[in-house]
Amino acid sequence: MNPRIVEVRKDILKKNDVAAAALRRRFDATGLIVTSLVSSPGAGKTAFLERTLSMARARHRVAALVGDLATECDAERLRRSGVPVRQITTGTVCHLDAEMIERALGELTLADLDWLFIENVGNLVCPASYDLGEHRRAVLLSVTEGEDKPLKYPTIFNTADVAIVTKIDLAAAVDFDRDAVLRNIDSVRPGLDVLEVSAKTGEGLDRWLALLEQPVSDRTVESTA
Amino acid sequence: MNPRIVEVRKDILKKNDVAAAALRRRFDATGLIVTSLVSSPGAGKTAFLERTLSMARARHRVAALVGDLATECDAERLRRSGVPVRQITTGTVCHLDAEMIERALGELTLADLDWLFIENVGNLVCPASYDLGEHRRAVLLSVTEGEDKPLKYPTIFNTADVAIVTKIDLAAAVDFDRDAVLRNIDSVRPGLDVLEVSAKTGEGLDRWLALLEQPVSDRTVESTA
């Protein structure tokens, strides 16, 4: 890659890390737990988040930010769950960054929230490099995408705290090879938690909610160390 | 976005355009027709290209370049079709650029080829900005990804010459709404050709091969004007 863009990229990433660390301190100050979702386009982030918000709001004060290049479609869908949702439209930018999150938080009173979810732009590459101040990053992979994706997009799996295999209801229709995908995830990121879910049937969502109830520690410790 | 990165980006894109124009002149000099494929990860580019190469080689001298962040998986799969295939591994770079294509061409004798295919990194965002010297760009969208994708990733549809709806064999299993996807493609890119295909059943591949046989003109005219 062009040496100048490498230099500017490093600079941008450093600035983003600073902004992300400031966000994380803000979240930690009120005990707000932030979870981000990343995946390729069409892996089912929005459907999964819609179910998550509907279930989570029974016991927690929840909100969501959702990123896309264009349209307000996802925010409109997610608002049906009855929680506050803000759309971030990035234009041609292929990922969310910490400053976009800060701006989108706007007048939300963080102290009134327990959980915040951030749905990134659909992209398995670029979002890997941008810390958003989140405590937990979930990478989603649908059964229709092919079992080789963890090997082909290792960075995103390396920056995630949990992998979520979506559309598990379609597993038989696409001859999904469960052992292969688990083996491939484990080879790029040994020991990573993997959940299998279907936003359509609800399968696996209880395990996901249970995981969300677990205390977060690693990222918080890192950022405040 | 940071003004410095905007500036460097413009510079990079201008350099890429120059390199791409040089490539296109090289291709045109020997009458080689170059087609690129872009899509999100898991839309089925490789399976589709595997079928395309197997069918095309009956009548044409064909080769392929295939981009991924990591692994040689795709090149290995595509070589089963019996044509020369080169893997380009980009590391953490989210798209192919014209210089990568130039390097990958290496010692291929272009005059010995009729058709060259380029499979980009799985990404519906960044590849839109990089001209690879191709004559025809196909954007692939699988029926499992959701009908809203053209609205959410308009740039890639705006730079494509044909849209290919893949995995059409799964349409019923995922309640695919054909009218919605056609309407959404037409709203971001009125008049764009749309093909529906299945690499599994072979449906629609004859129409695709027929399209490849048609003369290319617009991009060539643009670049040599």
Side-chain angles (χ1 to χ4, degrees), chain B residues 34-147:
Chain B
V34 182
T35 302
S36 75
L37 306 180
V38 290
S39 79
S40 65
K45 283 185 297 307
T46 312
F48 176 70
L49 184 52
E50 199 175 343
R51 292 291 295 250
T52 302
L53 298 177
S54 298
M55 293 171 78
R57 72 188 288 253
R59 300 190 47 195
H60 300 277
R61 299 167 302 170
V62 181
L65 309 178
V66 49
D68 271 305
L69 272 66
T71 82
E72 290 265 340
C73 308
D74 284 1
E76 283 160 24
R77 274 175 71 185
L78 292 173
R79 277 184 203 120
R80 290 184 297 200
S81 63
V83 314
V85 179
R86 301 261 166 104
Q87 179 81 46
I88 304 173
T89 49
T90 65
T92 58
V93 180
C94 50
H95 58 270
L96 295 178
D97 64 30
E99 279 185 16
M100 294 179 199
I101 301 301
E102 201 190 345
R103 276 197 302 275
L105 290 175
E107 67 270 24
L108 277 181
T109 307
L110 300 190
D112 290 347
L113 293 173
D114 301 314
W115 289 355
L116 175 69
F117 293 88
I118 302 172
E119 181 185 334
N120 216 313
V121 174
N123 185 334
L124 268 190
V125 188
C126 315
S129 307
Y130 291 83
D131 185 357
L132 303 179
E134 72 269 58
H135 299 96
R136 208 188 259 122
R137 182 179 287 181
V139 57
L140 280 68
L141 174 72
S142 82
V143 297
T144 68
E145 289 174 61
E147 295 80 4

Side-chain angles (χ1 to χ4, degrees), chain A residues 145-159:
Chain A
E145 288 174 61
E147 295 79 5
D148 57 352
K149 294 304 166 293
L151 302 178
K152 292 167 80 173
Y153 303 88
T155 318
I156 200 89
F157 284 84
N158 273 308
T159 66

